[in-house]
Amino acid sequence: EAGVTQFPSHSVIEKGQTVTLRCDPISGHDNLYWYRRVMGKEIKFLLHFVKESKQDESGMPNNRFLAERTGGTYSTLKVQPAELEDSGVYFCASSQGRLLSGRGNEQFFGPGTRLTVL
Amino acid sequence: KNQVEQSPQSLIILEGKNCTLQCNYTVSPFSNLRWYKQDTGRGPVSLTIMTFSENTKSNGRYTATLDADTKQSSLHITASQLSDSASYICVVSGSWAGNNRKLIWGLGTSLGVNP
């Protein structure tokens, strides 16, 4: 069974340009999460989809970031316009059930997209 | 403030040796603690998950311990292999039900295993 896939693996763009990252979760996983790791910092949560609905988007930095999950399958994360501080590795994860308190449902991570804004 | 601190920041050991990585947290109220392994260029992969009532959890050569009273955890790697070279990240979850932003991530310990 294929794991979580992300595209592209790397992206280098100039400040002010637009970039769209894609995540394909594990088939059948209703829950999809986006995370970001900025160099030298810890991984931080961005948002959580349950099927096509945004369950929690409290981690989104600002309105330059737009995430979608049309049809509840793959998701895209668009950054428009990109700024220097947006550089980092963007991870996507999926889980079958919702992450609850206690043991929770396991999240499976993709390899990440390394975004560099020049 | 909810924080997770890991030590050492980096570590190099010889193949076959054991090592122990530390994690201290201030997350409250506590729900569970996870250790992830992240290979270069890959996403994190879960090694262990422990709740408040669990003191130790093993996964092959990886053994995690948890002291909820002192808010400390350790990950012990036995008989290290070259493939153990990776970043090991401690993640603590608060007991705020269903809220993913409460996964507090540490910076990780970068482990290098040399032949």
Side-chain angles (χ1 to χ4, degrees), chain B residues 52-105:
Chain B
F52 183 89
S53 59
E54 296 174 300
N55 300 120
T56 184
K57 179 74 67 75
S58 291
N59 179 0
R61 295 179 296 101
Y62 301 103
T63 299
T65 64
L66 173 65
D67 185 335
D69 291 330
T70 61
K71 297 185 177 180
Q72 295 179 325
S73 175
S74 66
L75 180 68
H76 186 74
I77 304 175
T78 304
S80 61
Q81 300 176 358
L82 299 180
S83 59
D84 292 332
S85 296
S87 178
Y88 292 83
I89 308 174
C90 176
V91 185
V92 180
S93 173
S95 62
W96 307 274
N99 194 338
N100 292 285
R101 65 178 169 175
K102 299 305 182 183
L103 281 180
I104 311 298
W105 295 71

Side-chain angles (χ1 to χ4, degrees), chain A residues 37 48 56 91 99 102 106 110, chain B residues 31-32 38 43 49 99-100 107:
Chain A
R37 183 167 192 170
H48 170 207
D56 182 354
F91 291 103
L99 187 69
E106 193 53 64
Chain B
S31 175
N32 60 69
Q38 184 176 12
I49 301 175
N99 194 338
N100 292 285
L107 281 172

Side-chain angles (χ1 to χ4, degrees), chain A residues 6-82:
Chain A
Q6 294 186 243
F7 182 84
S9 57
H10 294 82
S11 180
V12 181
I13 61 173
E14 293 187 348
K15 176 183 174 181
Q17 290 185 321
T18 297
V19 63
T20 300
L21 314 181
R22 172 169 171 148
C23 168
D24 286 79
I26 292 173
S27 178
H29 282 191
D30 288 338
N31 294 269
L32 187 149
Y33 314 81
W34 283 99
Y35 293 88
R36 177 175 72 172
R37 183 167 192 170
V38 173
M39 185 179 294
K41 301 287 188 180
E42 68 276 15
I43 293 173
K44 287 194 174 178
F45 166 79
L46 296 179
L47 88 160
H48 170 207
F49 282 101
V50 177
K51 296 185 180 179
E52 68 275 7
S53 299
K54 293 177 185 176
Q55 183 70 28
D56 182 354
E57 53 183 328
S58 58
M60 294 287 264
N62 50 62
N63 58 11
R64 294 185 295 102
F65 289 75
L66 175 63
E68 295 180 322
R69 193 184 181 195
T70 305
T73 54
Y74 70 91
S75 174
T76 58
L77 179 64
K78 179 190 288 188
V79 185
Q80 179 182 29

Side-chain angles (χ1 to χ4, degrees), chain B residues 12-69:
Chain B
I12 297 176
I13 61 174
L14 292 176
E15 184 180 13
K17 297 296 185 182
N18 304 336
C19 68
T20 301
L21 314 180
Q22 300 291 341
C23 173
N24 296 336
Y25 62 92
T26 58
V27 179
S28 181
F30 173 84
S31 175
N32 60 69
L33 185 145
R34 305 158 187 250
W35 281 94
Y36 283 91
K37 177 187 179 187
Q38 184 176 12
D39 293 307
T40 301
R42 301 283 190 94
V45 175
S46 179
L47 294 175
T48 63
I49 301 175
M50 288 186 293
T51 59
F52 183 89
S53 59
E54 296 174 300
N55 300 120
T56 184
K57 179 74 67 75
S58 291
N59 179 0
R61 295 179 296 101
Y62 301 103
T63 299
T65 64
L66 173 65
D67 185 335
D69 291 330

